[in-house]
């Protein structure tokens, strides 16, 4: 783990060349183990039927890769579902640096490779439920968020962790758009106990390949019991905080989006019901509508995090 601000670090260690080598090593050692075949061709390491995966019901199937990588929300590239797949290649994700700040012993500016080095990504097949009432089942590869955050030694004052996406209008056309009302950069947050929950994942791959830009390269959060908007993409800043951070969607429409954003079929969005969802692939004639589960089906794992809270008020 290197902190670019520590004086003893020699400049040769942060040359573009070493960054390049580190990234190649990351892919070879990490994602290789998680799903790339020896020949380098991508094969999903999961079988399409995922009934034996914890949390998933028998008969639930993986959402096909082409849908996972072409039906996206990533407003930095536009508001339509196909904008991210069309325009996210305009973003440069290498080199990538991450600022760590706030209540921790190791703040600083880190190279992405240094933060993830030494980790072998695990495969996690998760249900993913968007607040717009569609859902998917996705095979992610990633590192438990807790293991990453612990590297920065958060202090006892850290009760929340805030994540921020890149602000780079030159490469993110949605940030230049006059139609976007979002106050960039995109910000999300978790309570520390949520961040430390074993289901919280920092994904670096999907379907056995490095994350495509439209899915949040080089790394993005995945919090499967919360609405999709909590799963922030292309993170450049991690800040440990005493007080609850203000998140992008909360600032945008506080009556519609709360800090917690736990999937809850009993609490409607003011403009639509959350009782059911369209499981992709879904079409007009085959909507594939299924009931939405409390905590997106992960209640047995996470409900205790919210004991004593009124989830209608803290939505
Ligand atoms: N930076 C950033 N992260 C984001 C978003 C976004 O617009 N910008 N959209 C969120 C929403 S609303 C959803 S549903 C998921 C979609 O993730 P996916 O495209 O990988 O399925 O990303 C989330 N993360
Ligand atoms: Mo979403």
């Amino acid at each position: 783990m290197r902190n670019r601000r520590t004086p003893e670090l020699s400049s040769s260690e942060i040359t573009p060349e070493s960054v390049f080598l580190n990234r190649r090593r990351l892919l070879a050692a990490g994602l290789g183990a998680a799903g790339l075949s020896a020949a380098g061709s991508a094969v999903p390491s999961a079988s399409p039927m995922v009934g034996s995966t914890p949390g998933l019901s028998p008969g639930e199937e993986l959402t096909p890769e082409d849908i996972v990588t072409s039906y996206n929300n990533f407003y930095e590239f536009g508001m339509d579902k196909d904008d991210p797949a069309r325009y996210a290649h305009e973003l440069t994700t290498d080199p990538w640096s991450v600022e760590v700040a706030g209540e921790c012993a190791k703040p600083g500016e880190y190279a992405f490779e240094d933060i993830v080095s030494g980790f072998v990504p695990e495969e996690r097949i998760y249900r993913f439920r968007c607040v717009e009432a569609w859902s998917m089942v996705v095979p992610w590869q990633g590192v438990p968020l807790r293991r990453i955050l612990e590297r920065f030694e958060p202090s006892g004052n850290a009760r929340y962790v805030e994540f921020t996406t890149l602000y780079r209008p030159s490469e993110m056309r949605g940030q230049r758009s006059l139609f976007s009302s979002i106050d960039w950069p995109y910000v999300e947050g978790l309570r520390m106990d949520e961040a430390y929950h074993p289901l919280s994942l920092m994904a670096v791959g999907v379907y056995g390949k490095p994350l495509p830009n439209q899915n949040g390269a080089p790394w993005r959060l995945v919090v499967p019991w919360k609405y999709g908007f909590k799963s922030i993409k292309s993170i450049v800043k991690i800040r440990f905080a005493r007080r609850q951070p203000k998140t992008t969607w909360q600032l945008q429409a506080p009556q519609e989006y709360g800090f917690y954003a736990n999937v809850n079929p009993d609490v409607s969005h003011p403009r639509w019901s959350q009782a059911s969802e369209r499981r992709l692939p879904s079409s007009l004639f085959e909507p594939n509508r299924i009931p939405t589960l409390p905590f997106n089906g992960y209640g047995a794992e996470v409900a205790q995090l919210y004991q004593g809270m009124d989830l209608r008020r803290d939505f």
Side-chain angles (χ1 to χ4, degrees), residues 64-82:
E65 181 181 359
D66 63 311
I67 295 178
V68 173
T69 59
S70 68
Y71 189 91
N72 301 103
N73 271 341
F74 200 165
Y75 287 89
E76 283 83 344
F77 297 103
M79 277 144 69
D80 292 335
K81 297 285 174 275
D82 51 3

Side-chain angles (χ1 to χ4, degrees), residues 24-175:
R24 288 188 43 168
R25 224 180 293 135
L26 163 75
L27 294 179
L31 281 176
L36 291 182
S37 74
S41 73
V43 283
S45 52
S47 79
M49 296 297 284
V50 292
S52 60
T53 302
L56 294 174
S57 311
E60 271 189 289
E61 291 178 28
L62 290 184
T63 302
E65 181 181 359
D66 63 311
I67 295 178
V68 173
T69 59
S70 68
Y71 189 91
N72 301 103
N73 271 341
F74 200 165
Y75 287 89
E76 283 83 344
F77 297 103
M79 277 144 69
D80 292 335
K81 297 285 174 275
D82 51 3
D83 283 337
R86 197 176 300 158
Y87 299 121
H89 69 271
E90 293 170 1
L91 175 66
T92 313
T93 61
D94 187 0
W96 192 266
S97 69
V98 179
E99 182 191 345
V100 176
E103 302 285 349
C104 68
K106 300 206 162 147
E109 189 82 28
Y110 294 88
F112 168 68
E113 287 74 12
D114 291 341
I115 294 179
V116 295
S117 81
F119 291 130
V120 176
E122 302 169 15
E123 170 128 318
R124 298 282 183 85
I125 297 173
Y126 283 159
R127 289 197 194 93
F128 190 81
R129 170 64 159 76
C130 179
V131 76
E132 296 164 271
W134 46 268
S135 69
M136 306 187 287
V137 179
V138 183
W140 303 107
Q141 291 78 42
V143 178
L145 180 59
R146 177 181 189 137
R147 299 191 58 205
I148 288 170
L149 297 183
E150 280 177 342
R151 290 198 151 179
F152 310 116
E153 299 173 19
S155 79
N157 291 327
R159 293 191 54 225
Y160 295 90
V161 55
E162 177 194 79
F163 302 91
T164 306
T165 295
L166 183 67
Y167 178 68
R168 191 183 287 160
S170 63
E171 295 184 353
M172 297 174 121
R173 61 175 62 212
Q175 293 177 336

Side-chain angles (χ1 to χ4, degrees), residues 127-131 188-191 194-195 200 222-231 259-264 295-296 298 302 305-306 315:
R127 289 197 194 93
F128 190 81
R129 170 64 159 76
C130 179
V131 76
E188 261 306 339
L190 296 171
R191 229 169 47 191
E194 298 178 315
S200 295
V222 185
V223 193
W225 70 95
K226 294 176 179 283
Y227 291 119
F229 64 86
K230 297 297 285 185
S231 292
F259 176 81
Y260 285 95
N262 292 317
V263 174
N264 191 342
F295 298 109
N296 200 25
Y298 299 99
V302 302
L305 291 172
Y306 308 102
F315 58 95

Side-chain angles (χ1 to χ4, degrees), residues 291-313:
T292 288
L293 301 170
F295 298 109
N296 200 25
Y298 299 99
E301 286 85 0
V302 302
Q304 86 281 352
L305 291 172
Y306 308 102
Q307 240 165 29
M309 282 176 60
D310 177 357
L311 295 177
R312 295 187 160 270
R313 206 197 56 197

